[in-house]
Amino acid sequence: QQQQEQQQQQQQQQLDSNVCNSSMSRSSSHHLTLKRVATVVSMKQLAQDESGGNAPPPNPESISQCQGAKLPMYIYADHAPSKMQRIPSCNRWDVGTDDVDTSSPLCPCVDDSSDDSDQAYWTKPSAQAYSNDGAVPCMPSSPYLGDDPMSSSATTTAELGTITGRSLLDTVLLALWEDCAEKGLFRYDVTACATKVVPGMYGFIAQLNEGRASNKRPTEVIVDKVCQPFTEAKFNFKKAYLKEVLFQFEPRSASGAHINDNSATANKDDEASYEPLLLDSAAASSSPNLVLINVSPIEYGHVLLVPRVLDSLPQAMTAATFMQALHFAREADNPYFRVGYNSLGAYATINHLHFQAYYLAAPFPCERAPTALLPKQQSSRLSPNLAVSRLTSYPVRGFAIEVLSSAVGALEEAAELVGYMVSTMQRADIPHNVLITDSGMRIFIWPQRYAEAQALGQVPAEQLDTGVNPAVFEIAGHMVLKRALDYEVMDQDWAWRLLEQVSLSEERFVALINTLFGKE
């Protein structure tokens, strides 16, 4: 038996020697290699593929191939005066300090009919516009009346006369969003999610969204770094499907060729015209601003604004890119439509610059919170068109910026201020969330530390078990819950305790104020 084993070992050694000699005699182009298995690759291999290795060809149906593609285009006036808010916001909502009555409509009914300069937007919604329990008003199921607004080559606000009180962007966004819903492009039906307003003076909103919990794409970014380089290997919006795009969102100053090429456009030679314009088909530029659906929506009409999508911008906002988000909110001209931003470390899950927006027919709790203006010595450094306050009696310490003037340039001043504040927090590695309300006339900014608190073991286990990651809309008071148990037990105290873990301490928040605006 020993002799047989020795003979087998000698035969194996001879075979190995023959293979080695044979491979050495070959040319270098015929070396033996291990082939990759497509479904089992390392992140390093993925990065090599994206940087010029054996990468698969781009998906012709992805946004990465959108340059030159014919897509709808919404053109806005980038130097138009702002529209003053039509309804009171913040602590001026018509609810006082009494507990919210969840059996009655939450939308204030403002009669603007005496103002001949503008049609009344706010009328009391019909009974059909409310959920079964009457607690949360829902957006109407039919976003427009009459003919399809996309049926002609060019559409202006004046031509949408059947849409009483609705803006062009509001009408088109909802129409195209519902079209995507009919095509089955969403991962679940968000309109079937249970939603309620819990009793209390702030009216926190609870939504049970089990579909988002199970179907949302997991995060691929490090949570303790606010600024990170864009990485092609990770998911980004260039990899999303082109069919998820609703329209391009371009300023008039950059759309002259499209305007001049369209003979149906009214006032096409009037560069001072503030009238928005919709083209049903226009070739996308080398890096367009795109509005696309969020396939894992939080609410009705949930969309993403992705500035300069092909420029591969990381999730780090600037004054210029924030200005686009302000224009987006202004063009919607609907106080039910809010635009939000999450930095990395503040629960942005994709490191590709984007803003989120959706409709919710109820005031956010942060809009009800009382505020206090910054001391004169600090606020004197600001433009007279702006007012900066800090939220008081709210679980997360934050700032409220209000645009006080409708003059041309007021929004630009707001964008510059927000850009400055955000860049300061980026350099200090402070995660932050930003919310735009009142059609761009009010902006909330929250520095936050929830990921830090988690890392330090400071978040109670029962709060961690909820799986709630407090991003901008949760901090604003719209609590998106993953478990039915949490939905059943949530009340104002429950929401308050969770959000308190997000806030900077008073000492750290005052230090940030002094860094941003100087000491008193």
Side-chain angles (χ1 to χ4, degrees), residues 189-194 208:
D189 180 9
V190 71
T191 63
C193 294
L208 178 59

Side-chain angles (χ1 to χ4, degrees), residues 198 204-206 365 395-396 463 474 477-479 481 489-502:
V198 302
F204 281 94
I205 304 157
V396 186
Q463 293 181 1
E474 286 82 5
H478 187 198
M479 310 299 292
L481 306 176
V489 302
M490 178 185 153
D491 56 17
Q492 181 167 290
D493 290 339
W494 187 99
W496 199 280
R497 288 193 301 270
L498 188 148
L499 291 180
E500 279 183 325
Q501 303 296 328
V502 178

Side-chain angles (χ1 to χ4, degrees), residues 8-34:
Q8 289 175 352
Q9 290 177 355
Q10 290 174 353
Q11 290 174 352
Q12 184 63 43
Q13 290 174 354
Q14 183 63 37
L15 178 62
D16 292 343
S17 176
N18 291 339
V19 171
C20 180
N21 293 334
S22 175
S23 64
M24 291 177 63
S25 65
R26 296 172 185 169
S27 65
S28 59
S29 62
H30 292 85
H31 284 170
L32 295 175
T33 60
L34 290 175

